[in-house]
Amino acid sequence: MKHLALICTVVPVLISLSACQPLSRVEQGASQAGQAAGRGIERAAEATGRGVDRAVGATGRGIERAVGATERGVGRAADATGRGLERAGEATGRGLERAGEKIEEVTK
């Protein structure tokens, strides 16, 4: 939009100047305006490219962090599950021992 506004501003100015200046000066001014617009477009394209590169890099880093956090979370969940299973096994073992003791008491 900025480039279109620049062109829309430059063209009427050049037309009005053409009435006051010789044709070669108008052509020279139009040429310079075109070159300036071209340089502006090139700079905008370069800045856009840099912005895209930064966005891609940031997205990649974000994905790496998310994967790392997920791996850590899964590892912690597995550890907690393992501890829970160990405790459940120990409790079951104690319960079976007590049940065995009660059975022995009753059968004496």
Side-chain angles (χ1 to χ4, degrees):
M1 287 302 284
K2 291 180 182 179
H3 303 295
L4 181 60
L6 176 67
I7 292 170
C8 291
T9 303
V10 170
V11 171
V13 170
L14 292 177
I15 292 172
S16 64
L17 289 175
S18 68
C20 302
Q21 297 179 350
L23 185 58
S24 64
R25 281 189 170 183
V26 172
E27 289 174 352
Q28 183 181 12
S31 175
Q32 289 174 352
Q35 290 172 355
R39 285 191 301 272
I41 291 169
E42 288 176 5
R43 288 180 184 161
E46 290 170 0
T48 301
R50 287 192 301 272
V52 167
D53 290 343
R54 288 179 184 161
V56 167
T59 301
R61 287 189 299 276
I63 290 170
E64 288 173 2
R65 289 178 184 163
V67 168
T70 301
E71 289 173 348
R72 287 190 300 276
V74 168
R76 290 176 184 157
D79 291 344
T81 301
R83 287 190 304 273
L85 289 173
E86 287 175 8
R87 290 178 183 163
E90 292 169 359
T92 302
R94 286 191 303 271
L96 289 174
E97 285 177 23
R98 289 182 186 155
E101 291 170 359
K102 293 292 181 183
I103 290 171
E104 285 180 15
E105 286 179 16
V106 171
T107 56
K108 283 186 187 179

